[in-house]
Amino acid sequence: MKISKIYNVFDYPDKVRKIHKNPTPLFGGFVIFINLLAYCLVEYFGYFESNYFDNKYEILIFLFFAFLFFFIGFVDDKYSIKPNLKLLSYILLIILLMSLDKDLIIRNATFSFSNFIFNFNNFSIFFTILCFLLFINSFNMLDGINGQAASYSLYVFILFIFFNINLILSINLILVLLIFLYFNFKDKMFLGDSGTILLGFVISYFFIKSYNLGGNIFSDEIFLIMMIPGYELVRLAVQRLLKKKHPFSPDNYHIHHLLIKKVKLLNCYLFIQILLVFPFIFYFFISSSVISLIVSSIIYILLIIKISK
């Protein structure tokens, strides 16, 4: 609260999109970045061996870009950056990041249900930029009610452990998110754009890097984990364009805004969390990503139709 007062970074209720009662510090991003900094310093000085960074130079690159994405979110929390400027900033940062770390360029797609490998060839850079943008923006749109984005992040980092993706970082952020959730549910702290943009970048960075380094994860599995936030991004963007608005302009048509009109806040939170984890959990039990994709898509579409009436 004291630091938030110094920088005047609060989320003020407006009774329309923001239904909390009091100005709340947008401090979650700062807490997460401090822990990322600690993780990078420990790894930089060689206290444990990493499977994701070839050298200290790559560690510094990751930390530097994590800070830049955090900083964009921080400025957006304080001054509200225009959507086009924010999007352009993301694109420039991602292009620069790929030029410094070639392991982040997605060159092909492999699938759990087939030996076929789809090569992107000349579209590799474009596809990589698109993947980063889709998840960072969809994750940012996911944040709206207490616990929603942080709980989803918690789920993703637990899956990181399942897929053996950077165990030290995953455990670190799981502990941080559990502590954050305690304060978040008490309306004492919000993630803010600094938190959601930073988490979106970190998750997409390690998914892509792990996949490119031959991790035991397939393209369709990553899609199932991220599909509901992705669907929300596409639905909202199309809906806004049809209303002649910017696809990333804020409104109150997110799934949590629609659902909260039908059910209590706690039920809304629980329902959305089940929806977010269902595609991959269902796939885990039936071992068919195609069936899970079809069933999850139908459930999402029927839900949106139902709550939009």
Side-chain angles (χ1 to χ4, degrees):
M1 180 65 77
K2 291 180 180 179
I3 297 176
S4 295
K5 285 181 178 179
I6 293 172
Y7 292 101
N8 190 28
V9 183
F10 289 90
D11 194 31
Y12 294 93
D14 59 12
K15 306 304 179 184
V16 180
R17 293 180 56 248
K18 304 175 181 183
I19 57 176
H20 51 285
K21 296 180 180 180
N22 302 307
T24 306
L26 296 169
F27 203 62
F30 180 80
V31 172
I32 292 166
F33 179 76
I34 289 299
N35 280 271
L36 277 179
L37 175 62
Y39 157 80
C40 288
L41 289 175
V42 168
E43 181 157 332
Y44 183 85
F45 289 106
Y47 289 101
F48 60 87
E49 187 175 343
S50 172
N51 295 324
Y52 297 91
F53 300 114
D54 291 333
N55 48 58
K56 293 183 177 181
Y57 170 72
E58 286 191 5
I59 299 173
L60 294 177
I61 289 175
F62 167 72
L63 180 61
F64 176 67
F65 280 89
F67 169 75
L68 291 178
F69 277 98
F70 160 75
F71 183 73
I72 290 173
F74 177 83
V75 174
D76 194 30
D77 284 332
K78 188 171 177 62
Y79 300 109
S80 294
I81 304 174
K82 292 182 178 180
N84 284 337
L85 179 58
K86 193 159 55 173
L87 183 62
L88 179 61
S89 300
Y90 292 162
I91 294 173
L92 292 176
L93 287 181
I94 294 166
I95 292 173
L96 180 58
L97 177 61
M98 288 189 299
S99 69
L100 295 173
D101 189 346
K102 303 299 182 183
D103 287 337
L104 290 171
I105 301 175
I106 305 172
R107 304 187 186 280
N108 58 61
T110 58
F111 306 95
S112 62
F113 54 85
S114 172
N115 292 325
F116 174 74
I117 299 177
F118 182 85
N119 293 304
F120 294 108
N121 299 320
N122 295 331
F123 294 97
S124 294
I125 292 177
F126 172 79
F127 183 74
T128 304
I129 294 172
L130 182 63
C131 287
F132 269 108
L133 290 178
L134 283 174
F135 192 68
I136 291 172
N137 282 290
S138 62
F139 193 90
N140 186 234
M141 288 184 177
L142 184 66
D143 192 30
I145 59 175
N146 286 354
Q148 185 166 284
S151 296
Y152 175 66
S153 301
L154 197 61
Y155 157 69
V156 173
F157 288 119
I158 290 172
L159 290 182
F160 270 23
I161 295 176
F162 175 79
F163 285 111
N164 194 27
I165 298 175
N166 208 325
L167 297 182
I168 302 298
L169 175 67
S170 300
I171 293 171
N172 178 354
L173 291 180
I174 285 171
L175 295 175
V176 173
L177 287 167
L178 286 172
I179 295 170
F180 168 79
L181 279 169
Y182 172 79
F183 292 102
N184 188 219
F185 282 125
K186 287 180 169 290
D187 276 342
K188 300 294 184 181
M189 186 191 304
F190 291 164
L191 274 176
D193 285 343
S194 63
T196 55
I197 292 172
L198 176 59
L199 283 170
F201 166 72
V202 171
I203 290 171
S204 52
Y205 176 96
F206 281 105
F207 260 139
I208 292 172
K209 198 171 184 72
S210 177
Y211 174 82
N212 286 339
L213 292 177
N216 58 336
I217 189 167
F218 295 98
S219 302
D220 51 311
E221 292 174 333
I222 296 175
F223 182 82
L224 289 174
I225 294 168
M226 300 180 169
M227 67 176 286
I228 299 301
Y231 279 1
E232 270 293 279
L233 173 67
V234 173
R235 178 183 70 85
L236 290 167
V238 171
Q239 187 170 311
R240 290 163 183 169
L241 287 171
L242 291 175
K243 294 182 178 182
K244 298 181 179 180
K245 296 181 179 179
H246 194 284
F248 299 129
S249 60
D251 59 30
N252 58 347
Y253 292 100
H254 296 230
I255 188 170
H256 49 269
H257 289 131
L258 299 175
L259 193 57
I260 206 170
K261 296 177 182 178
K262 308 288 183 179
V263 300
K264 294 181 180 179
L265 183 60
L266 177 60
N267 292 337
C268 176
Y269 161 77
L270 293 174
F271 198 93
I272 291 175
Q273 292 307 311
I274 293 171
L275 183 66
L276 289 169
V277 306
F278 177 81
F280 183 81
I281 300 300
F282 187 53
Y283 156 72
F284 179 79
F285 284 104
I286 67 171
S287 299
S288 174
S289 60
V290 176
I291 294 176
S292 179
L293 171 64
I294 294 171
V295 172
S296 302
S297 299
I298 292 173
I299 291 173
Y300 174 79
I301 292 169
L302 292 178
L303 173 65
I304 293 299
I305 292 173
K306 177 69 176 178
I307 63 178
S308 296
K309 290 182 180 180

